[in-house]
Amino acid sequence: MDFHSTDNNSTRRIAALKQRVDSLRENDLYFYNQAVEEMLPDAKVRVRGRIMGMYASYSYLGLVGHPRINEAAKRAVDKFGTGTNGVRTLAGTLTIHNELEETIANFKHTETAITYTSGYVTNLTVISSLMGRGDYVFSDKINHASIVDGCLMSGAEFRRFRHNDMEHLEGLLKNAPADVSKLVIADSVFSMDGDIIDLPKIVELTKKYNAWLMIDEAHSVGVLGKTGTGIEEHFGMGDVIDIKMGTLSKTIPSVGGYVAGKKELIDFLRHGSRAYIFSAALPPAQAAAANEAFKVILDEPERLDRLNANTKQFIGGLKSMGFDTLLTETAIVPVLCGTDEKAMELTKRCQQQDVFVLPVVSPAVQEGMSRLRATVTAAHDPSDIEHAMDVIYQAGKAMGMVK
Ligand SMILES: *Cc1c(COP(=O)(O)O)cnc(C)c1O
């Protein structure tokens, strides 16, 4: 049957998307789904036969390919094979899963932890199993899509507060009924802007209004805090977050997601969250790699020092060239362009000079806020960063973005 033979909403959506993608491809402005052919030292990659500096990676501490982590994965394959006997609740749990969860609990200073097979699924299943009809969730306007989807899936009343605006959040909390369950949820480091949630204030508000606090640490584990344990360490606060969520796919070079917290909460999730009960366990190699990576973060603190120095160099350099990097304080560095077209044009010019950056355009960000979103890692060499900034500068200058 011809896929497009019937005319309905779905086939029209497919046709509209095809038209947009085709037009980008024709204009050499399609940057998605490019395959990396080889990972090279110093955060370089080979793409379409060319050696490029990678400035779009989430491997903030440069742990992808770390020998200790690779070894741990190989040992796990030799011991357990490449798959499991099914879902965790039934026959899928291996000792390496329990070890990983203990490692995470220690790293996050909580009683225990639970893991899932992706960060995206972790947010969906955790939010929707804790919250339901009649409850209230409060979510930052620019929270990650997986949080938004989890809130919608829960069926709870969904309230969005202006980005990092604690007065607005307080107003919304005040207006909610006193006797319902409330959950406040935010990214720790915002994935498009690189700025940091006001944790002290949000903790104060959740206490005052008797709400749970869930923080998504996808971009802060290994990045924030003196030893890289995350946002609580960054603000010098103890164990103040009820539901500490994170991914195993960014600084941790594996795949999966976790929640660390009190034993009762985690026990509830082990028996009440559908992605744990109805989806297969993490493969042994990925669980072992993640387990080793948390240890490497603590054993090799010089990586975080390098990340901090590189971040400072990158943000400071781009700012002094006249670019608007919004309020970033972390390794995620937006270079504001305005229109989608400008963001794509700047990307094209950078990639032509072998600097691998990517554009973020609407609807992923608000219209008029399209940008180049560059990331820097501990693996970059300072002289390469200097070169990449020069490429971005020359491109921006040619486009009239900076003088
Ligand atoms: C990447 C990301 C996720 C999803 O994690 P995956 O492991 O890639 O599924 C969730 N939340 C935030 C804030 C993220 O940046």
Side-chain angles (χ1 to χ4, degrees):
M1 195 188 90
D2 179 2
F3 196 57
H4 292 283
S5 63
T6 47
D7 187 34
N8 58 38
N9 282 339
S10 306
T11 52
R12 276 194 292 275
R13 265 198 292 275
I14 290 168
L17 184 93
K18 181 176 174 350
Q19 198 176 24
R20 181 158 161 75
V21 169
D22 284 351
S23 134
L24 289 174
R25 284 211 171 100
E26 276 158 28
N27 293 301
D28 233 351
L29 292 172
Y30 184 84
F31 307 106
Y32 305 108
N33 300 301
Q34 295 188 73
V36 167
E37 291 152 5
E38 195 183 355
M39 305 279 276
L40 301 163
D42 299 333
K44 292 191 176 123
V45 291
R46 188 156 52 82
V47 177
R48 282 173 279 113
R50 300 167 70 142
I51 311 294
M52 302 178 91
M54 171 52 85
Y55 291 87
S57 169
Y58 302 132
S59 186
Y60 298 118
L61 293 179
L63 296 180
V64 176
H66 191 293
R68 238 177 92 183
I69 298 170
N70 284 4
E71 269 316 307
K74 286 175 196 164
R75 277 198 308 275
V77 170
D78 289 342
K79 188 167 174 189
F80 295 110
T82 55
T84 64
N85 297 312
V87 302
R88 290 289 302 275
T89 320
L90 301 177
T93 296
L94 303 169
T95 48
I96 185 64
H97 294 124
N98 295 335
E99 276 173 49
L100 169 60
E101 286 164 356
E102 198 182 321
T103 298
I104 293 171
N106 288 337
F107 191 88
K108 295 307 300 174
H109 303 294
T110 57
E111 289 176 7
T112 183
I114 183 170
T115 52
Y116 299 90
T117 46
S118 94
Y120 180 85
V121 151
T122 303
N123 277 332
L124 281 194
T125 202
V126 170
I127 299 168
S128 66
S129 51
L130 284 172
M131 305 303 284
R133 224 163 280 288
D135 300 334
Y136 278 64
V137 286
F138 303 86
S139 169
D140 188 287
K141 268 235 164 95
I142 65 167
N143 273 347
H144 191 262
S146 56
I147 296 175
V148 176
D149 293 355
C151 293
L152 293 174
M153 191 172 155
S154 75
E157 292 294 323
F158 185 31
R159 299 285 182 268
R160 298 170 78 198
F161 55 95
R162 283 191 294 272
H163 176 46
N164 221 347
D165 184 337
M166 294 299 124
E167 267 176 46
H168 191 208
L169 171 60
E170 177 153 27
L172 294 175
L173 282 165
K174 219 181 253 172
N175 279 335
D179 56 347
V180 297
S181 332
K182 302 184 194 86
L183 173 68
V184 174
I185 176 162
D187 287 12
S188 51
V189 169
F190 288 88
S191 58
M192 298 296 157
D193 287 31
D195 56 342
I196 303 170
I197 191 78
D198 183 352
L199 187 69
K201 189 70 194 173
I202 213 169
V203 166
E204 186 192 314
L205 289 179
T206 48
K207 285 215 174 95
K208 183 169 170 190
Y209 293 94
N210 197 23
W212 275 333
L213 178 60
M214 175 167 175
I215 298 288
D216 178 336
E217 296 219 67
H219 300 280
S220 56
V221 161
V223 174
L224 288 189
K226 209 162 173 301
T227 63
T229 64
I231 191 161
E232 286 163 321
E233 190 183 17
H234 174 78
F235 283 104
M237 301 176 87
D239 181 14
V240 292
I241 299 167
D242 302 304
I243 305 165
K244 306 182 201 200
M245 182 272 169
T247 66
L248 304 175
S249 60
K250 287 173 174 137
T251 293
I252 305 296
S254 182
V255 73
Y258 69 81
V259 167
K262 290 245 175 342
K263 198 170 172 310
E264 278 162 51
L265 166 76
I266 303 303
D267 260 346
F268 170 77
L269 293 173
R270 257 187 231 292
H271 301 96
S273 59
R274 294 167 76 84
Y276 189 84
I277 305 167
F278 296 109
S279 187
L282 273 176
Q286 298 318 120
N291 183 51
E292 198 67 20
F294 281 102
K295 296 176 179 173
V296 170
I297 293 175
L298 299 178
D299 289 348
E300 299 181 4
E302 64 277 8
R303 289 178 177 271
L304 181 55
D305 295 339
R306 271 209 304 280
L307 175 64
N308 286 331
N310 287 351
T311 299
K312 202 170 155 205
Q313 180 191 356
F314 199 47
I315 298 174
L318 289 168
K319 268 191 176 155
S320 73
M321 290 167 172
F323 289 108
D324 181 357
T325 56
L326 302 177
L327 297 173
T328 183
E329 298 177 56
T330 65
I332 298 169
V333 185
V335 176
L336 194 67
C337 298
T339 63
D340 291 2
E341 288 70 27
K342 268 197 177 161
M344 290 193 275
E345 177 68 25
L346 187 60
T347 302
K348 179 176 166 176
R349 287 173 183 264
C350 290
Q351 289 206 7
Q352 279 170 346
Q353 300 297 316
D354 298 329
V355 172
F356 194 101
V357 285
L358 287 170
V360 180
V361 298
S362 59
V365 290
Q366 206 184 316
E367 204 147 330
M369 296 289 280
S370 293
R371 66 198 64 179
L372 197 101
R373 177 164 162 276
T375 57
V376 73
T377 75
H380 287 105
D381 187 277
S383 64
D384 289 338
I385 296 173
E386 213 53 51
H387 170 72
M389 288 195 296
D390 189 53
V391 166
I392 298 171
Y393 173 68
Q394 296 299 341
K397 199 171 150 188
M399 290 170 59
M401 285 176 64
V402 288
K403 290 198 202 74

